[in-house]
Amino acid sequence: MKDEEVRRVLEAVEQGHLDRRTFVQRAAALGVGASTFGALAGTAVASSGAVLASPIPGPPYKRGKRGGVGSVAWPDKTVTYDPPLAYDLGGYYGLANFFRGLMAFDGKSNPQLDLASSMDISGDGKRYRFKLKKGVTFHNGREVTASDFKYTFERSSSKQIGSWVQGFLTSVQGHAAFAAGKTKQIPGIKVIDKYTLELRLTKPDVTIPGVLATPPFFVLPQEEVKKQGKNFTFNPVGTGPFKMEKWDKGGSRYTAVRNPDYVYGKTLPYFDELDWQWNVPETLEYLRVKSGKLDATGGNLGSAPSIVAQLRASKNPDYKEWPSFSIQWFELNTTQAPFDDVRVRRAVNYAVNKPRLQSLFIQPTGHFFPPNLLGYNPALKTYGYDPEKAKSLLKQAGATGVELTIPILDGGTGRIEQLLQQDLQQVGFKVKLVKDQASVYDLGSKLATKYPLWYKGWGMGLPDPSELVSSLIGTGAPSNYSGWGNKAIDKLGGQATAITNRGKRGSTYAAIEKILLAEAPFIFLGVSTWVTMHSKRLQNFVWEPVLYEHWDRSWAS
Amino acid sequence: MSTAASPADVEEFLDGAARARRTGRVDPVLLSGCVIVGFFIVCAIFAPWIAPHDPDFQQADGLNGIGPWAPFDSSYLLGTDELGRDYLSRLIYGARVAIFIAIVPNAIAMVIATLVGVSAGYFRGRVDTILMRITETVMVLPAFLLALALISVAGSGLWVVVIALVLVSWTYAARVVYGEVLRIREATFIEAARALGASSWRIIFRHVIPQLRGLLVTYFTLNAAFMVLTEAGLGFLGFGIQPPTPSWGAMIGASRDLLFWPWLIILPGVCLALLGMGFYLLGEGLQRRFGPRVPTARL
Amino acid sequence: MTAEVLLSVTNLTKHFPGRGGTVRAVDNVSFSISRGETLALVGESGSGKSTTARLVLRLLEATSGAVEFDGVDVLHAGRAELRTLRRQMQIVFQDPYASLDPVHRVEKALMEPFAIHGIGSRHEQRASVASLLERVGLDPAMGRRFPSEFSGGQRQRIAIARAIALEPSLVVCDEPVSALDVSIQAQVLNLLRRLQIDLGLTYLFISHDLSVVRHIADRVAVMYLGEIVELADCDAFFSNPRHPYSLSLLSAVPHPDPVVERSRDRIVLRGDLPSPSNPPSGCRFRTRCWKAEDICATQPPLLAADARGHAVACHFPEGTTRASGSGL
């Protein structure tokens, strides 16, 4: 049993019996892929004390007490639990309750083996071979096979589904033709036998393990998806720790029950039942947790600053502030004056009073890359708060007394825009705010036709800088609305996905961020701080920035 | 052959005013309405002189370590908001918005209502049918949702809010004016004017509309409360006037998630309730003094 | 009897569409008034006399018929023509409390006729108002007051002043004293008479009060259910009424001649006034007439004048006309 082997190796590391170098060799011998062992090592090194370093992937877990009902509430309206389509908080961050995939992230956002028992990467980095664990079953009792993964990956990449992850497997052979609707399947996804799946790539792509650890690539039972049709959106059938019991749309909640046949079913999950609620504003979440009616908040209490102020003052041990992968910035329309001039773009970056951002629970790093992300370079010089420098840059650029209209887009409180309004007025802009009933996603690239700048936030789905390049900063990237592009970044970004050496890859991304900061197509703010609160009885409440809460490893005392 | 009661009403108006002049007695309802509304009007007019700070400026020291200053806790008498702006100043400037909203869209609505109600009631016939069908059609639409719909289509902004408020409130006034004109047009003095050769326009402007004065003044006052509260409702939902311009409703709306800083909600709430009550008392007092009960627009 | 005819009304008809059928408020009414004359139109309320007055002034549009005023076709007069006509035909209403706009000062009310027709400067208008007030027996200083500050009689004087402001030739007096105290009535009637003499006015005087009519009228026309049933000189009418309805009206009035008063019988009519939307066939009065016979139900009687010009619409009019005072 390789799982057992891996566990023993990890325990040895944890107890300091193995040095890193030996560990890497042992791991390689066990067939754990080159890009994964780093991740495994990361977990192991991070683990300490009572944490069981074990083959169960994900954030640390401890021995807990089985039984009872755990409850959590989320602010948004939940529309679907179909993995490639879920996007709201309570939907997307609940997917791991019902589904699992080949890989899973650990608490440090590194991919680990989950339903795969091994991952082999060919020497040229263009072939990934996964061996599946045997005996893993869906909630309907059927055993998971390699062809289920092929089905799932093709479904998530298909044009018909139109998922936001449609382009995540572009490096796989035949993906382009399939995505265009020309072929019925992706030939690069190969079912070797019942328990062996192979991905053949057109070029090396080290993001593959991470991609496969995101919920839209968690395995689905083909027959259930077909049989249920639209009902699948609220009657998910997967391999996860919980099974959907009752979905109550009117009551804005569902009940899920423990899956005894879960692949780690001997240990996890601890709760017999999960009470999952949505449409509950953060303020109410907090009040319910405080009165003991709820075990944990789902939304970010940081959006309700008075609560956090109260919690900080009370030194409540059940509230926690977590660094997130939620990037906050203002995107500038670089196609038009005044922001077609890099001096003006730099000036507005100097104009922002960064320390004040903390009152809105933004950690004002001044970076685009969140700390803890590969490629984040703390030594990189960012724009400090320097209104005088801003003014002189504006004077140089001849951009004085410029009028700007900043939209407050749907769902925005307008606070961050009002902060910016004052900062920009201090350096000589005339700033008007307008409410726009459309959201940033509704408007997309139309934003640049209406406004000179707008606020944007991005929670990273794939905790890898490649996502930032391919989605936000690459020339013509789907969520790059600034009209800005940089050939050097595009080139480096294209190369980086093929670099297997993590350190080298990290420095490539650091170089990318350096160019980004110098070119300043955005007003860089930082990352938001995620604030949670849980009930006294809830034990081992874990939050990590990729999938947030992990209800399979919490229990009630 | 007198069929119109309206001259009698107006005489009541004049007699009442004369009686009040003679006796010098003041209706406490009317007086309290005048005092409250007058207070806010003074705040609105003299806001730049009364307000201790720029209402939109986020003071560098407007926040303490864990949030805004609370009332009586610092150099800010009523504390600051979550962005560090002096709350007293914002409340005072908020009166400007409230009074503006109470007067401008209200007056426009009254003018439209008078034109529509008088045209339909005086000319009758097809004009009546068309105008009153339009009025009734707009009237059956839920006022608040109609305003929301308009703002979501047209985008928010002061003048969009004004137009929305006019749109949802003129119909009620038009119905009332219409009913009143139906009575007035039958009055003998109208017939006398026609016998003298007066044109329709002369009759409308010299004889019909002057009879509506008491009604319009009372209605205007009661409708002012409706206007202020509706704008507050729109502002609460984020559909009102653009930030950072302080509007009480928007201030409450923006503080919804700040329940541990309750003054942010309570203070504008008190202002709103007071001004709404002030207009109501004023309208009630005017009504008691001058005329028949007037139905008003409802949220 | 060669006096110039000022107003001539021919076959004037007004039908109001109503729920219970068409209301024939005025039906084929014909009469004429000579310049300087007073014609009284009498009848119960609902008989159509006020409607007739409004048709003549074109405050209401007639259904058919003709009204000729001083040679002008009133019913077909254009806008401008009608405006000129308004200067020459005026009206005094019954209720002085309702006929003055309560929000206008008296001065303003009396200036309005001049303002409408663009006569004189404001200063001249003001002077005219003062003389008008004097003419109707009021202090010109009272012009600053509101109508509500006056008594009923004073208000009616103001209304009269307004009516004569433009020096009209015809004034329709629609029950001008019936809303007033009896003690005031005579004063107002005297005022009307004096003005008639001073200004050479012609009156169409509407009243249900025969003692008032006797006081002021030259000729009398009696209306019943929208029709004129008798039309005669005042003296002839009072001394020798020929229509049974006139007889019944007169029997209710105390006669100043004690001989007549002593000898007269009181006639009390049976039943109520029939509905004008569904008038009886033949003679409209037959349902309440003590003389009615079969012919009355089938043949509507025509208004026929005798040699002296005393006209009556009845199959069985009262006996021969006695010689009476001066025929006008």
Side-chain angles (χ1 to χ4, degrees):
Chain A
M1 289 284 284
K2 275 183 182 164
D3 284 358
E4 275 303 303
E5 280 285 354
V6 172
R7 197 177 63 77
R8 264 191 281 123
V9 171
L10 288 169
E11 275 171 359
V13 172
E14 189 188 320
Q15 286 148 23
H17 297 162
L18 274 180
D19 62 18
R20 194 178 164 87
R21 190 188 154 91
T22 321
F23 163 73
V24 169
Q25 286 169 348
R26 293 279 293 273
L30 288 165
V32 179
S35 72
T36 314
F37 59 65
L40 292 173
T43 315
V45 171
S47 311
S48 63
V51 175
L52 302 175
S54 81
I56 302 181
Y61 74 99
K62 306 171 188 175
R63 287 235 184 281
K65 199 180 106 215
R66 192 173 287 178
V69 183
S71 58
V72 62
W74 302 82
D76 302 12
K77 193 167 82 185
T78 292
V79 261
T80 181
Y81 302 104
D82 193 351
L85 295 176
Y87 59 85
D88 63 278
L89 286 181
Y92 185 77
Y93 297 106
L95 291 177
N97 292 327
F98 300 118
F99 305 97
R100 305 298 295 194
L102 287 175
M103 311 292 290
F105 292 113
D106 65 4
K108 299 276 180 194
S109 315
N110 299 304
Q112 298 172 291
L113 297 176
D114 189 358
L115 298 188
S117 59
S118 73
M119 173 173 75
D120 268 319
I121 307 171
S122 63
D124 61 1
K126 283 160 71 168
R127 196 197 49 139
Y128 283 73
R129 172 174 284 204
F130 297 91
K131 285 272 182 204
L132 268 56
K133 287 178 185 167
K134 290 178 182 157
V136 177
T137 57
F138 288 113
H139 296 160
N140 65 3
R142 184 173 70 74
E143 192 181 14
V144 177
T145 66
S147 59
D148 290 313
F149 280 100
K150 180 174 167 67
Y151 165 78
T152 303
F153 295 175
E154 286 172 351
R155 182 173 184 266
S156 290
S157 304
S158 73
K159 207 176 161 187
Q160 293 91 308
I161 292 290
S163 168
W164 60 281
V165 299
Q166 201 182 332
F168 273 33
L169 293 178
T170 37
S171 56
V172 176
Q173 285 172 14
H175 181 279
F178 177 80
K182 286 182 196 145
T183 51
K184 291 226 176 297
Q185 53 129 357
I186 303 177
I189 304 172
K190 278 220 167 332
V191 178
I192 305 297
D193 61 42
K194 199 177 172 190
Y195 300 111
T196 312
L197 184 79
E198 209 170 85
L199 296 185
R200 294 187 183 165
L201 311 183
T202 52
K203 56 170 190 170
D205 181 356
V206 297
T207 67
I208 289 290
V211 166
L212 300 185
T214 59
F217 296 95
F218 287 0
V219 68
L220 307 180
Q222 178 164 184
E223 73 279 11
E224 291 287 342
V225 177
K226 286 188 178 145
K227 193 174 81 191
Q228 295 194 33
K230 280 190 172 148
N231 287 350
F232 195 78
T233 65
F234 55 85
N235 190 21
V237 178
T239 53
F242 293 97
K243 299 201 278 189
M244 179 64 90
E245 173 80 3
K246 185 168 166 276
W247 189 77
D248 176 5
K249 189 184 182 187
S252 295
R253 74 205 301 165
Y254 70 69
T255 306
V257 293
R258 186 175 193 277
N259 173 14
D261 303 321
Y262 184 40
V263 58
Y264 314 111
K266 279 185 197 137
T267 319
L268 301 180
Y270 295 120
F271 280 119
D272 283 339
E273 222 176 281
L274 208 52
D275 173 13
W276 196 272
Q277 307 167 19
W278 60 91
N279 263 346
V280 183
E282 287 87 349
T283 309
L284 262 183
E285 288 176 19
Y286 163 77
L287 291 173
R288 287 190 189 167
V289 170
K290 198 155 181 259
S291 63
K293 288 189 192 113
L294 194 69
D295 283 316
T297 58
N300 186 2
L301 292 185
S303 69
S306 88
I307 292 174
V308 185
Q310 173 80 7
L311 287 169
R312 278 184 184 169
S314 70
K315 300 195 166 58
N316 189 322
D318 301 324
Y319 114 91
K320 287 194 179 73
E321 296 183 19
W322 314 80
S324 78
F325 276 165
S326 177
I327 310 165
Q328 313 288 313
W329 74 103
F330 280 94
E331 193 165 29
L332 303 172
N333 177 0
T334 61
T335 60
Q336 277 171 22
F339 297 122
D340 54 350
D341 187 329
V342 71
R343 289 171 298 186
V344 181
R345 302 202 295 261
R346 285 175 186 153
V348 290
N349 271 290
Y350 282 119
V352 174
N353 187 338
K354 311 247 166 15
R356 279 177 55 85
L357 294 170
Q358 291 174 80
S359 68
L360 300 182
F361 296 92
I362 293 173
Q363 188 194 336
T365 60
H367 278 262
F368 191 65
F369 286 17
N372 306 327
L373 188 74
L374 179 69
Y376 177 82
N377 177 9
L380 192 63
K381 198 176 173 310
T382 60
Y383 297 94
Y385 174 45
D386 192 345
E388 290 314 312
K389 194 157 185 181
K391 280 184 205 162
S392 78
L393 276 169
L394 288 172
K395 211 169 168 185
Q396 276 176 38
T400 46
V402 177
E403 288 181 26
L404 297 174
T405 302
I406 306 178
I408 297 171
L409 295 163
D410 181 42
T413 59
R415 287 184 185 127
I416 186 101
E417 290 86 355
Q418 291 182 69
L419 281 185
L420 183 72
Q421 181 185 34
Q422 174 154 325
D423 289 342
L424 293 183
Q425 278 170 343
Q426 297 286 307
V427 298
F429 286 96
K430 295 193 176 82
V431 185
K432 204 178 109 196
L433 301 181
V434 290
K435 293 235 177 192
D436 195 317
Q437 303 304 331
S439 75
V440 69
Y441 306 106
D442 296 336
L443 287 170
S445 49
K446 278 190 220 137
L447 276 163
T449 65
K450 293 177 82 175
Y451 304 107
L453 75 162
W454 50 88
Y455 167 70
K456 227 162 143 182
W458 181 270
M460 296 183 68
L462 175 66
D464 187 281
S466 65
E467 184 190 64
L468 302 181
V469 176
S470 63
S471 300
L472 298 169
I473 58 178
T475 308
S479 295
N480 176 357
Y481 308 140
S482 68
W484 176 86
N486 181 286
K487 290 207 172 68
I489 286 183
D490 294 342
K491 194 168 163 232
L492 286 171
Q495 291 166 353
T497 52
I499 301 171
T500 47
N501 180 301
R502 192 176 162 84
K504 217 178 137 199
R505 204 167 153 249
S507 52
T508 306
Y509 281 112
I512 286 175
E513 203 198 4
K514 193 175 177 189
I515 300 170
L516 186 71
L517 258 77
E519 284 290 307
F522 308 144
I523 301 176
F524 303 100
L525 304 177
V527 289
S528 55
T529 303
W530 198 276
V531 184
T532 62
M533 160 103 176
H534 61 84
S535 65
K536 288 247 172 303
R537 68 174 202 140
L538 191 70
Q539 306 299 312
N540 195 38
F541 174 79
V542 234
W543 195 92
E544 52 79 26
V546 183
L547 285 179
Y548 294 9
E549 300 173 4
H550 291 254
W551 284 85
D552 60 346
R553 52 204 72 199
S554 297
W555 72 90
S557 61
Chain B
M1 286 277 287
S2 164
T3 50
S6 122
D9 292 347
V10 184
E11 273 170 40
E12 208 180 291
F13 169 98
L14 295 164
D15 289 351
R19 198 166 49 238
R21 271 200 300 277
R22 273 198 309 277
T23 58
R25 235 189 34 227
V26 185
D27 178 1
V29 171
L30 194 58
L31 179 71
S32 48
C34 283
V35 168
I36 296 170
V37 173
F39 170 76
F40 284 109
I41 289 177
V42 167
C43 284
I45 294 172
F46 297 104
W49 293 275
I50 303 173
H53 297 279
D54 177 346
D56 298 339
F57 189 77
Q58 299 151 17
Q59 310 287 339
D61 58 350
L63 300 174
N64 63 27
I66 55 163
W69 291 108
F72 314 114
D73 207 20
S74 64
S75 57
Y76 308 104
L77 185 63
L78 295 182
T80 64
D81 70 5
E82 80 279 15
L83 297 178
R85 297 174 291 203
D86 178 48
Y87 219 49
L88 175 60
S89 303
R90 287 185 77 68
L91 289 170
I92 292 170
Y93 273 85
R96 283 202 150 180
V97 171
I99 295 292
F100 175 84
I101 288 296
I103 291 173
V104 174
N106 200 357
I108 298 172
M110 290 300 138
V111 169
I112 294 175
T114 307
L115 290 179
V116 170
V118 169
S119 307
Y122 186 81
F123 293 113
R124 305 301 311 272
R126 193 172 295 172
V127 179
D128 182 353
T129 314
I130 294 171
L131 287 177
M132 293 326 285
R133 276 316 144 270
I134 294 172
T135 307
E136 280 154 13
T137 308
V138 178
M139 201 150 89
V140 295
L141 301 171
F144 197 72
L145 295 182
L146 188 62
L148 284 182
L150 180 83
I151 293 169
S152 24
V153 172
S156 46
L158 182 61
W159 289 103
V160 179
V161 172
V162 167
I163 291 165
L165 290 174
V166 169
L167 182 71
V168 302
S169 67
W170 68 271
T171 50
Y172 299 89
R175 282 294 313 195
V176 174
V177 168
Y178 171 72
E180 193 65 9
V181 171
L182 285 186
R183 292 195 313 150
I184 294 169
R185 77 188 296 272
E186 299 302 329
T188 314
F189 62 85
I190 300 290
E191 206 175 13
R194 283 177 58 213
L196 284 170
S199 64
S200 293
W201 293 114
R202 183 181 179 90
I203 293 173
I204 286 172
F205 285 106
R206 296 290 169 98
H207 297 284
V208 176
I209 291 176
Q211 311 298 321
L212 298 169
R213 268 190 317 208
L215 178 86
L216 287 175
V217 166
T218 309
Y219 198 94
F220 180 88
T221 315
L222 292 174
N223 204 39
F226 170 81
M227 290 294 189
V228 169
L229 295 176
T230 305
E231 191 277 324
L234 292 172
F236 178 80
L237 295 180
F239 279 77
I241 287 152
Q242 303 297 352
T245 307
S247 139
W248 296 334
M251 286 158 79
I252 298 174
S255 312
R256 254 177 306 191
D257 54 356
L258 306 175
L259 74 165
F260 287 109
W261 303 330
W263 69 93
L264 295 180
I265 294 170
I266 293 169
L267 294 175
V270 167
C271 288
L272 261 180
L274 259 180
L275 183 60
M277 192 175 74
F279 275 122
Y280 185 74
L281 289 173
L282 191 60
E284 191 69 19
L286 288 172
Q287 207 167 58
R288 273 159 54 156
R289 174 161 284 193
F290 298 136
R293 186 148 282 278
V294 176
T296 49
R298 288 286 66 104
L299 282 168
Chain C
M1 291 281 289
T2 53
E4 179 202 346
V5 170
L6 180 67
L7 177 76
S8 133
V9 173
T10 316
N11 296 335
L12 192 60
T13 301
K14 176 67 181 174
H15 292 173
F16 291 107
R19 276 214 193 93
T22 304
V23 176
R24 305 155 82 93
V26 175
D27 221 355
N28 266 318
V29 165
S30 301
F31 61 84
S32 62
I33 312 178
S34 301
R35 199 177 279 278
E37 189 191 34
T38 299
L39 173 69
L41 212 48
V42 301
E44 296 165 88
S45 56
S47 61
K49 43 190 206 309
S50 283
T51 307
T52 304
R54 282 165 173 74
L55 292 174
V56 167
L57 293 171
R58 228 176 123 187
L59 292 172
L60 278 176
E61 295 294 332
T63 309
S64 64
V67 176
E68 195 177 295
F69 177 85
D70 209 6
V72 181
D73 179 356
V74 174
L75 300 189
H76 298 101
R79 199 182 267 259
E81 244 179 328
L82 193 61
R83 236 170 102 83
T84 323
L85 276 174
R86 298 266 186 236
R87 289 183 63 169
Q88 297 163 41
M89 303 196 297
Q90 272 306 310
I91 180 166
V92 176
F93 292 95
Q94 174 181 17
D95 184 358
Y97 292 88
S99 64
L100 296 171
D101 189 328
V103 303
H104 290 178
R105 291 177 199 280
V106 166
E107 191 177 66
K108 195 172 176 190
L110 292 181
M111 277 163 72
E112 189 166 32
F114 303 113
I116 290 168
H117 293 280
I119 298 164
S121 65
R122 270 190 91 76
H123 185 74
E124 287 162 348
Q125 290 175 6
R126 224 174 281 265
S128 306
V129 166
S131 75
L132 274 175
L133 284 169
E134 267 175 19
R135 170 150 255 157
V136 297
L138 293 172
D139 179 357
M142 288 173 160
R144 297 298 299 158
R145 298 195 194 160
F146 284 99
S148 56
E149 297 173 59
F150 292 92
S151 71
Q154 286 173 318
R155 286 192 210 200
Q156 199 60 307
R157 284 169 191 271
I158 295 164
I160 290 167
R162 179 175 61 186
I164 61 167
L166 298 171
E167 298 174 5
S169 32
L170 175 72
V171 175
V172 175
C173 302
D174 186 4
E175 309 245 18
V177 295
S178 61
L180 305 178
D181 268 9
V182 180
S183 57
I184 310 291
Q185 285 189 357
Q187 291 176 17
V188 173
L189 285 174
N190 288 337
L191 173 66
L192 285 172
R193 278 232 302 229
R194 213 186 59 235
L195 291 171
Q196 185 169 38
I197 294 159
D198 291 355
L199 303 171
L201 297 173
T202 305
Y203 287 145
L204 174 57
F205 193 97
I206 291 159
S207 181
H208 64 274
D209 186 342
L210 286 173
S211 51
V212 168
V213 167
R214 160 172 267 171
H215 191 68
I216 198 160
D218 297 315
R219 284 196 298 142
V220 178
V222 181
M223 285 190 77
Y224 183 79
L225 272 186
E227 293 179 331
I228 291 183
V229 294
E230 187 163 2
L231 178 59
D233 286 348
C234 190
D235 293 343
F237 175 76
F238 281 98
S239 58
N240 189 16
R242 297 190 63 198
H243 198 280
Y245 178 61
S246 308
L247 217 60
S248 73
L249 288 177
L250 280 169
S251 80
V253 183
H255 199 282
D257 183 340
V259 182
V260 181
E261 175 66 20
R262 236 178 284 121
S263 64
R264 79 194 181 101
D265 295 319
R266 278 178 183 276
I267 301 164
V268 178
L269 293 181
R270 298 171 284 158
D272 296 321
L273 195 66
S275 160
S277 61
N278 186 21
S281 62
C283 175
R284 290 187 180 176
F285 185 60
R286 68 173 166 85
T287 51
R288 302 166 83 188
C289 185
W290 60 96
K291 286 174 142 185
E293 292 187 18
D294 290 351
I295 184 174
C296 298
T298 55
Q299 290 264 260
L302 296 173
L303 188 68
D306 65 11
R308 288 185 172 83
H310 192 147
V312 64
C314 181
H315 292 296
F316 307 103
E318 290 297 306
T320 36
T321 311
R322 269 187 317 184
S324 61
S326 65
L328 276 166

